[in-house]
Amino acid sequence: MALTFQIIGYKKSGKTLITTALVRQLSAQQLRVGVLKHDAHDSSMDVPGTDTARFSDAGAQAVLLQSANGTFYHQTTLQMPPVSALIAQLPATTDVILLEGFKQADYPKLVLLRPEDHATDFAAYPNIQVFASLTAHPDATLIGAPAICDWFQQHYLTDFNFKETKD
């Protein structure tokens, strides 16, 4: 079973920067990393004018594209599947799953604080392990990307046995 960890925070808190830094760090250790990102805005994977965009625009609920660059899946539905169903779609060989967002999910999480945020703003969210910020913040235990990545390495990777998933 893959180690699953969340990075949450409000817009422009540094979630993508930290997620990307962790992906680089973990991949450099030969770990297989999967990332699920939640976007509360109206974003789309389909590029306007492409065939996949035309299919989606025509009303397709799901479009799957296989190309030399990989396999891409786009689903449009009003009923969002639970995070566990999204995780189940990742390859079984995944070692680490990073969730960017999905604040309500009950996986261990790191909260990134912007200067105007407070730890109490996140009291409703379960399983918070640590508060962090990219810059000095009175509510943050970890300051800066290197400290955040080091903390993750020390507190999660050293206690997790990847040997059984790598064999």
Side-chain angles (χ1 to χ4, degrees):
M1 179 174 210
L3 168 67
T4 304
F5 191 79
Q6 291 181 254
I7 297 98
I8 69 166
Y10 295 123
K11 187 175 182 173
K12 301 292 183 189
S13 61
K15 297 181 303 293
T16 299
L17 184 139
I18 295 303
T19 302
T20 303
L22 287 172
V23 169
R24 282 192 186 110
Q25 175 182 316
L26 297 167
S27 296
Q29 296 174 47
Q30 306 304 309
L31 295 171
R32 296 164 294 225
V33 183
V35 177
L36 295 177
K37 178 180 175 66
H38 177 259
D39 185 355
H41 310 287
D42 292 333
S43 64
S44 176
M45 288 178 50
D46 294 320
V47 178
T50 64
D51 290 347
T52 57
R54 286 186 192 104
F55 301 148
S56 294
D57 292 344
Q61 285 191 337
V63 177
L64 191 136
L65 168 67
Q66 185 178 34
S67 75
N69 294 326
T71 302
F72 304 91
Y73 180 72
H74 176 180
Q75 179 177 348
T76 34
T77 177
L78 296 178
Q79 188 174 31
M80 296 299 165
V83 176
S84 58
L86 298 173
I87 288 172
Q89 293 182 30
L90 293 172
T93 57
T94 304
D95 295 313
V96 178
I97 299 167
L98 298 176
L99 304 176
E100 183 179 317
F102 302 98
K103 291 180 186 82
Q104 296 294 342
D106 194 22
Y107 297 95
K109 58 182 60 83
L110 174 140
V111 176
L112 279 166
L113 299 169
R114 302 172 301 180
E116 65 271 25
D117 295 334
H118 302 283
T120 55
D121 297 340
F122 297 86
Y125 303 117
N127 215 348
I128 293 173
Q129 304 297 302
V130 68
F131 289 92
S133 181
L134 296 179
T135 58
H137 193 291
D139 291 345
T141 304
L142 304 170
I143 307 296
I148 294 166
C149 291
D150 288 348
W151 176 87
F152 183 83
Q153 179 78 35
Q154 292 172 8
H155 285 84
Y156 282 87
L157 292 187
T158 55
D159 293 336
F160 199 80
N161 182 4
F162 289 105
K163 182 170 178 26
E164 61 191 49
T165 60
K166 297 287 264 185
D167 291 341

